[in-house]
Amino acid sequence: MPTHKRQPSIELLELMGVVKENGSEQTSLPPVHTPLSYDYVLVAKTIENQERAVFKKQTEFIEELKKKKMRVTKIVDDDRVFYGIQAPKEIFEKYRYLLKVSDACNWSSGQSIVPLSTRIRIVHFILNHTPIRSGECLHQLMKTKVFEAKFCLHEKKKQKELKENWARWTACIQGQPITAVRNYFGEKVALYYLWLGWYTYLLIPPAIIGVIVFLYGLAYFNSSPLIKEVCEADTIMCPLCDKRCQVWLLSDTCTYAKVSQLFDNNGTVLFAMFMAVWATLFLEFWKRHRASYVCEWKVSDWCEEEEELILEILNNATCEPKKYKHSYLRTTLVLICVTAMILVIIGLTHALVVFRVIAAVLLAEGSWEFLSTHSNSGAMMLGAVLHYLIITVMTRINRIVAMKLCEIEETRSFTTTEKSFTVKMFTFQFFTYFSSLFYVAFFLGRINGHPGGYVRIAGQWRLEECHPSGCLTDLFIQMAIIMVLKQTISNVFEFTGPWFCRWFKRRRTRKLQRTCAHCYLKSELQDSHGAELCDNCKLRDWVSNYRLNDVDSFSLFDEFLEIVIQFSFTTIFVAAFPLAPLLALINNVIEIRLDAIKMVTLERRLVPKKTNDIGVWIDVLEAIGVLAVIANGLVIGVSSNFVPRLVYRYYFGPCANSTATDIDCMTGYINNTLSIARMDDQIIRNEFSPYQMTTPDGLNVSSCSYKDYRSNEDYSLTPQFWLILAVRFAFVILFEHVVVICKFIAAWFVPSAPIQVKNDRLFDKLNRLKEELRSFVA
């Protein structure tokens, strides 16, 4: 028999350390019938009164399962009753036959074996589509407390192997046994970890380059003429708020100017372009690796619709297919509701703006001198923390709303529901996370007006202003706080929550008996056909699984959503936060093992799901990649000072006429960006009180400066402002076109499937057709 030859793409991933496959795992699958393992377990509370409706429904459901030739084992444990459910071998024989005749070119000899993961999936479908006389299925019976829990069992041997090779903290720097994960949890979970591992590995280059960009800015701390101009300036700046705020010295914000230099430098432009192309390469190479694995697993041509039809027939031979439906009325209603929800989320962003404005005023008027001096930065940090709290609350609300909208749509199948829910939930979460960031990036400091003409909220509170060094630091502070809080706190709760729940359940229930010697030997023997564990050992296994934390169909969705939101942070505003890829890399190294430990040891076994891709998430990632190009172009062209510095260097600076040789070309830039408000103007006297125009040293001043390109006489915008605005738009258009072209070239250059995968599938289909023809002739 020829040895199995793996795809070169898989060999490459193993060489890179992304995966760590055992060659035997490619073909080793559990036997068709595993008598020591039950396919599913139902748990209900013990009911003494047999006349109660709950008991009758419970009994009726079990009888319906027995009518379908399900083997049901009942074991009572104090106040709970456990039902072990095992499907007959005939169901799986029918599944294999229907799988073959549904699409002959999708059949392979390896599919003549039905592993336990497939058995669980089939039984799970039958259980959830078995109604009682009242029309209630298992889902409704769970809601009415007829049954307390439902779960499939962990396999101790495989569980132990996964713990040793994958689900432990000491394996953080090792590759993942993706095929072993697939054999145990199914293709859907395996593709999630393959995608997460590939994403984590590809974060290494942008993390390194991001640190270099950060160090590049750090290297100019002491030599940058812009920082020197701020730190050595004697410029008097206009008050930042009404009444209590006084004029201040530009040099007081020397530290802020240095921090701005770390993230608003020439290196961020190239880094943003690199990240846009990187996002495309990441997705294109991911498609290649996915194609290699699904080809290896023989699910390249798998069709969710056909799988659903097969399971429907297995459950009920006389079933009718669920017809496709579309209602323009329901679609319109859902669209209106989604729009309304987005407007509510944007409204919360407006509330955050109001909070920051009021907080800045209160901090400026406070007695603490440090906070009074740095009131704007303090308000920004408080706003970021409040934003995180809003995110935490809105995540729950968004989930409820998204589920209700899916119910209104009346989707045809669970997969359709999952796709619809994913799009809605991600849209809501995206606006929840990024609405405030978009305000800081593109509106902060640009709509606040000028002395004598400030824009006010409710005619009372002035909008926030940017520092003379730019607004990019405010965006950096906002992103850093949200990313650090989100990743740190969510990981802590994600691990400690399930661990504490398991510990609490153990405390509440009695200690389990040890496995008896006879049953231990049975479980150790591979060929123990016809063997049966004793009731005590069965109960011990079922109770130990019952104590684990519950999982549902959307458990994996939560993990995907968390990482895709992180991918958005890493790409969309990376120009303002070059260290984002580094933070994401550190988080993902921990996240992979955290999720693995949680799935293998702290949670009940996920129902294995069959698939050949990551679903609608690939479309979401591609949309984020396009949005990242637009956002980073706008951040560099509109938010940063890259374009104003460029215009100053070549049009207004000392090097504009190519005459200055002994002076830095950026000398005088900060002063050039400032306009002057004079107290001899009646409008300014009405705006600022004499107290506000007094320095902390007690010196009265007759004028102050503010960041804007305005005339000192009538406060109209200067020609330089319009020139800079024109160059900004030209840069954004040029940047986006260049990067989009680079993205298209990269996508074209990297085929979505390796040539060997295409050839293998071609020859595989040909051989299967020849085999079908031979069997037909014979």
Side-chain angles (χ1 to χ4, degrees):
M1 182 177 177
T3 57
H4 176 78
K5 185 179 179 182
R6 293 190 298 183
Q7 295 291 335
S9 179
I10 299 177
E11 300 284 357
L12 178 62
L13 286 174
E14 190 157 12
L15 182 65
M16 295 163 70
V18 178
V19 301
K20 186 182 179 182
E21 299 289 13
N22 182 355
S24 61
E25 280 287 356
Q26 300 293 332
T27 54
S28 67
L29 292 171
V32 175
H33 192 56
T34 51
L36 298 178
S37 298
Y38 280 76
D39 301 314
Y40 225 84
V41 175
L42 296 177
V43 184
K45 287 187 177 180
T46 305
I47 301 171
E48 300 295 338
N49 184 3
Q50 297 186 1
E51 297 301 319
R52 289 183 59 185
V54 172
F55 179 81
K56 289 181 179 179
K57 288 182 178 181
Q58 188 183 117
T59 306
E60 185 182 348
F61 184 77
I62 297 300
E63 289 302 319
E64 289 293 332
L65 294 180
K66 289 179 178 178
K67 288 178 183 178
K68 295 181 178 181
K69 298 182 181 180
M70 295 281 188
R71 181 188 171 198
V72 181
T73 302
K74 179 180 177 180
I75 301 178
V76 179
D77 178 45
D78 293 337
D79 61 338
R80 288 181 178 83
V81 57
F82 290 80
Y83 295 99
I85 298 168
Q86 197 173 49
K89 186 177 180 181
E90 292 76 20
I91 288 181
F92 309 112
E93 296 290 345
K94 290 177 183 177
Y95 173 78
R96 283 158 43 194
Y97 175 74
L98 290 173
L99 188 68
K100 182 176 182 179
V101 299
S102 66
D103 184 358
C105 288
N106 193 32
W107 174 258
S108 67
S109 57
Q111 289 169 319
S112 61
I113 295 175
V114 180
L116 184 58
S117 58
T118 303
R119 291 172 56 96
I120 291 171
R121 187 173 70 253
I122 295 171
V123 174
H124 173 77
F125 183 90
I126 294 173
L127 286 177
N128 283 281
H129 292 78
T130 299
I132 58 177
R133 283 193 299 270
S134 63
E136 294 173 287
C137 291
L138 184 57
H139 180 68
Q140 287 82 19
L141 296 176
M142 294 280 291
K143 280 187 175 181
T144 55
K145 304 297 181 183
V146 174
F147 291 101
E148 185 181 325
K150 59 173 184 175
F151 52 87
C152 47
L153 297 169
H154 279 289
E155 300 171 72
K156 291 183 179 178
K157 278 188 176 181
K158 292 290 183 182
Q159 193 180 23
K160 185 178 179 181
E161 290 174 8
L162 288 174
K163 281 183 188 176
E164 292 174 354
N165 301 326
W166 181 51
R168 55 187 175 88
W169 291 114
T170 51
C172 279
I173 58 174
Q174 296 180 7
Q176 301 184 82
I178 295 298
T179 302
V181 174
R182 174 251 180 174
N183 290 341
Y184 192 76
F185 288 112
E187 287 83 358
K188 192 170 186 177
V189 172
L191 286 175
Y192 162 73
Y193 281 105
L194 178 63
W195 173 80
L196 181 56
W198 175 242
Y199 168 48
T200 303
Y201 183 85
L202 272 204
L203 277 173
I204 296 175
I208 294 172
I209 297 174
V211 172
I212 292 173
V213 171
F214 177 80
L215 295 176
Y216 171 80
L218 193 64
Y220 285 89
F221 245 40
N222 298 320
S223 59
S224 171
L226 305 181
I227 294 177
K228 284 184 177 181
E229 190 173 352
V230 172
C231 296
E232 298 173 1
D234 56 0
T235 306
I236 304 294
M237 302 297 293
C238 293
L240 295 174
C241 67
D242 299 325
K243 297 179 183 178
R244 293 287 300 276
C245 292
Q246 295 179 290
V247 291
W248 50 283
L249 287 174
L250 179 59
S251 57
D252 293 341
T253 58
C254 178
T255 303
Y256 194 98
K258 290 181 178 180
V259 173
S260 298
Q261 179 66 23
L262 294 176
F263 307 102
D264 190 2
N265 56 64
N266 296 337
T268 57
V269 180
L270 297 176
F271 186 53
M273 295 180 68
F274 166 79
M275 285 302 294
V277 177
W278 172 89
T280 300
L281 291 175
F282 157 66
L283 291 176
E284 293 304 318
F285 277 110
W286 155 249
K287 292 175 185 177
R288 291 173 62 84
H289 298 317
R290 181 205 65 84
S292 296
Y293 263 97
V294 298
C295 179
E296 193 81 15
W297 297 338
K298 307 299 181 185
V299 291
S300 299
D301 299 315
W302 176 83
C303 175
E304 184 266 335
E305 185 178 294
E306 288 188 2
E307 177 86 4
E308 183 185 321
L309 289 174
I310 291 172
L311 295 178
E312 288 278 5
I313 295 171
L314 288 178
N315 182 49
N316 181 9
T318 61
C319 68
E320 293 292 330
K322 293 180 181 178
K323 296 181 180 179
Y324 290 97
K325 298 178 182 178
H326 180 74
S327 170
Y328 287 102
L329 178 62
R330 292 180 181 275
T331 304
T332 304
L333 180 60
V334 169
L335 184 61
I336 292 171
C337 292
V338 169
T339 305
M341 189 65 185
I342 292 173
L343 291 176
V344 169
I345 296 170
I346 294 174
L348 290 175
T349 302
H350 289 226
L352 273 175
V353 172
V354 174
F355 170 81
R356 282 199 294 262
V357 169
I358 297 175
V361 173
L362 295 177
L363 291 176
E365 295 178 353
S367 57
W368 194 355
E369 184 179 348
F370 177 80
L371 283 179
S372 180
T373 306
H374 303 87
S375 58
N376 277 358
S377 299
M380 179 62 67
M381 291 181 184
L382 287 174
V385 174
L386 179 61
H387 187 197
Y388 174 77
L389 296 176
I390 289 175
I391 288 169
T392 306
V393 175
M394 286 303 297
T395 298
R396 296 180 179 273
I397 298 173
N398 291 341
R399 178 182 292 272
I400 295 170
V401 173
M403 284 303 300
K404 291 295 182 184
L405 292 177
C406 289
E407 291 175 9
I408 294 173
E409 282 182 318
E410 292 185 353
T411 47
R412 179 179 171 274
S413 62
F414 174 78
T415 304
T416 311
T417 303
E418 190 178 34
K419 288 180 180 178
S420 178
F421 176 80
T422 298
V423 172
K424 292 177 180 62
M425 185 65 182
F426 175 78
T427 303
F428 294 156
Q429 287 295 89
F430 182 84
F431 277 93
T432 303
Y433 275 94
F434 288 93
S435 293
S436 180
L437 296 180
F438 274 99
Y439 166 77
V440 174
F442 306 125
F443 297 101
L444 178 64
R446 290 169 181 81
I447 56 174
N448 59 302
H450 58 86
Y454 285 120
V455 176
R456 300 176 186 274
I457 297 175
Q460 187 173 357
W461 297 291
R462 278 170 47 186
L463 287 180
E464 306 159 279
E465 295 182 34
C466 282
H467 185 268
S469 298
C471 289
L472 219 56
T473 302
D474 295 320
L475 182 58
F476 153 70
I477 292 172
Q478 189 97 344
M479 286 187 64
I481 291 176
I482 293 173
M483 273 198 80
V484 171
L485 282 178
K486 177 184 174 296
Q487 294 185 167
T488 305
I489 296 177
S490 65
N491 281 344
V492 169
F493 278 98
E494 192 174 341
F495 182 74
T496 57
W499 180 86
F500 178 77
C501 289
R502 186 184 66 169
W503 173 83
F504 185 69
K505 284 184 178 179
R506 284 181 175 178
R507 296 275 296 181
R508 288 180 60 188
T509 54
R510 60 184 174 83
K511 189 176 181 181
L512 298 175
Q513 296 180 3
R514 295 187 63 182
T515 306
C516 65
H518 292 291
C519 294
Y520 178 78
L521 290 174
K522 290 177 186 177
S523 62
E524 288 296 312
L525 293 173
Q526 295 290 334
D527 300 320
S528 53
H529 294 291
E532 185 76 29
L533 298 178
C534 67
D535 283 355
N536 285 336
C537 292
K538 286 179 191 172
L539 182 61
R540 183 187 186 280
D541 189 24
W542 296 354
V543 172
S544 63
N545 279 268
Y546 169 73
R547 286 176 175 176
L548 298 175
N549 292 280
D550 192 18
V551 292
D552 55 34
S553 303
F554 292 103
S555 295
L556 191 63
F557 166 84
D558 295 330
E559 308 299 340
F560 255 120
L561 179 63
E562 179 184 352
I563 301 301
V564 171
I565 290 291
Q566 181 211 88
F567 178 79
S568 304
F569 272 105
T570 306
T571 53
I572 290 179
F573 288 121
V574 73
F577 193 18
L579 296 180
L582 178 64
L583 292 180
L585 174 63
I586 295 170
N587 174 79
N588 288 1
V589 170
I590 299 170
E591 182 76 25
I592 290 174
R593 303 305 158 179
L594 176 63
D595 289 347
I597 292 170
K598 192 174 64 174
M599 281 190 184
V600 174
T601 64
L602 298 178
E603 292 180 341
R604 295 170 186 166
R605 185 175 181 177
L606 277 169
V607 175
K609 295 290 181 67
K610 196 172 186 179
T611 188
N612 55 11
D613 58 27
I614 59 174
V616 74
W617 287 115
I618 193 69
D619 300 320
V620 172
L621 291 169
E622 287 179 344
I624 292 170
V626 174
L627 184 60
V629 176
I630 300 170
N632 281 303
L634 290 172
V635 166
I636 297 170
V638 177
S639 304
S640 77
N641 281 335
F642 174 76
V643 171
R645 289 198 297 262
L646 209 62
V647 172
Y648 179 79
R649 174 185 290 271
Y650 295 106
Y651 282 90
F652 300 100
C655 300
N657 298 321
S658 301
T659 55
T661 55
D662 57 344
I663 190 171
D664 193 285
C665 293
M666 296 305 296
T667 301
Y669 167 75
I670 296 294
N671 192 55
N672 178 258
T673 63
L674 301 177
S675 299
I676 298 175
R678 303 184 187 279
M679 283 297 288
D680 55 13
D681 191 326
Q682 184 61 42
I683 298 176
I684 303 301
R685 285 201 298 270
N686 294 336
E687 184 74 58
F688 302 127
S689 66
Y691 168 77
Q692 289 182 282
M693 297 301 291
T694 304
T695 64
D697 297 332
L699 179 65
N700 291 322
V701 295
S702 59
S703 64
C704 61
S705 300
Y706 61 97
K707 181 178 172 60
D708 210 344
Y709 295 98
R710 291 187 179 272
S711 167
N712 297 334
E713 284 74 31
D714 59 359
Y715 305 106
S716 60
L717 295 169
T718 62
Q720 185 176 353
F721 170 84
W722 298 110
L723 175 62
I724 291 173
L725 185 64
V727 176
R728 283 186 190 275
F729 284 129
F731 172 83
V732 170
I733 294 170
L734 180 64
F735 176 88
E736 291 177 358
H737 279 71
V738 169
V739 174
V740 166
I741 289 171
C742 292
K743 282 172 66 70
F744 277 126
I745 292 174
W748 167 80
F749 189 76
V750 182
S752 59
I755 294 299
Q756 182 165 337
V757 168
K758 293 180 179 179
N759 288 331
D760 285 353
R761 288 181 60 190
L762 183 67
F763 282 100
D764 196 25
K765 285 185 178 183
L766 180 64
N767 292 333
R768 290 173 195 167
L769 289 171
K770 288 180 178 179
E771 185 180 342
E772 287 291 319
L773 183 60
R774 283 194 297 267
S775 63
F776 172 76
V777 173

